[in-house]
Amino acid sequence: MSNDDGRHDADHSHIDWRENGVKVIPGDALDPNTAQTPGMNRATAINHARAGAEKIWAGTVTIHANAKTGAHHHGDLESIIYVVKGKARMRWGDNLEFTAEAGPGDFIFVPPYVPHQEINASQNETLECVLVRSGQDPVVVNLDIEPVEKPEHVRWIDPIHK
């Protein structure tokens, strides 16, 4: 935001924008040295060490065909999943009683503390996603949940477009 005279509201003239500005992380230079789950491959793109990020973590996750996580939540972190390729199935709720699917181009939002399970809905294709979290600690709280057999299907429609 600028003042009437064109100056920025905060004086950032002392910052070396060349070193502390925009960072481009090439897709073939992601860091696989991050928390892993059997059947999934994660790679870090953006964190403090790689890009100087203070409040977010971003990376990729590939979920093997027919693979799924156990029930878990991510504490007070918010998560956004963008599906690049394949079909994601999410189950959530106290007994994983709700389910929805997302395909290429779809976004999934997981609020803090929501018990959930990520599933690759395909028996023979990998699921490729971009993942963004509101913090950098790899918080995963595993839950001992007895899932319901037939979860209720919930359509991916926001409250504005019913």
Side-chain angles (χ1 to χ4, degrees):
M1 182 183 287
S2 297
N3 294 327
D4 290 337
D5 63 3
R7 290 182 300 129
H8 294 293
D9 286 339
D11 180 16
H12 291 104
S13 60
H14 64 283
I15 296 175
D16 178 356
W17 291 123
R18 182 179 190 282
E19 294 299 319
N20 297 298
V22 173
K23 302 279 192 267
V24 175
I25 310 300
D28 62 357
L30 304 186
D31 183 3
N33 295 313
T34 188
Q36 301 294 333
T37 301
M40 303 173 83
N41 300 99
R42 288 188 192 87
T44 300
I46 306 293
N47 64 4
H48 184 72
R50 295 177 58 83
E54 299 285 335
K55 300 175 185 175
I56 60 173
W57 179 96
T60 60
V61 61
T62 300
I63 303 174
H64 303 187
N66 207 32
K68 62 185 174 185
T69 67
H72 64 283
H73 69 72
H74 299 287
D76 66 351
L77 299 179
E78 293 179 319
S79 298
I80 297 170
I81 302 166
Y82 175 76
V83 180
V84 175
K85 177 184 171 191
K87 182 162 287 249
R89 180 176 299 132
M90 297 291 289
R91 291 183 71 178
W92 72 94
D94 289 329
N95 296 105
L96 304 178
E97 65 269 31
F98 306 108
T99 186
E101 292 188 352
D106 293 338
F107 287 84
I108 301 166
F109 173 64
V110 182
Y113 300 103
V114 173
H116 66 282
Q117 177 183 43
E118 296 130 17
I119 302 166
N120 181 342
S122 173
Q123 301 283 328
N124 50 24
E125 292 183 9
T126 60
L127 170 62
E128 297 177 13
C129 301
V130 173
L131 174 60
V132 179
R133 290 219 175 101
S134 62
Q136 297 194 18
D137 292 328
V139 176
V140 176
V141 178
N142 291 310
L143 304 170
D144 187 15
I145 290 178
E146 186 64 37
V148 295
E149 285 304 312
K150 291 188 177 184
E152 175 187 341
H153 180 76
V154 178
R155 295 177 58 208
W156 287 115
I157 297 180
D158 63 77
I160 297 170
H161 301 95
K162 291 189 180 202

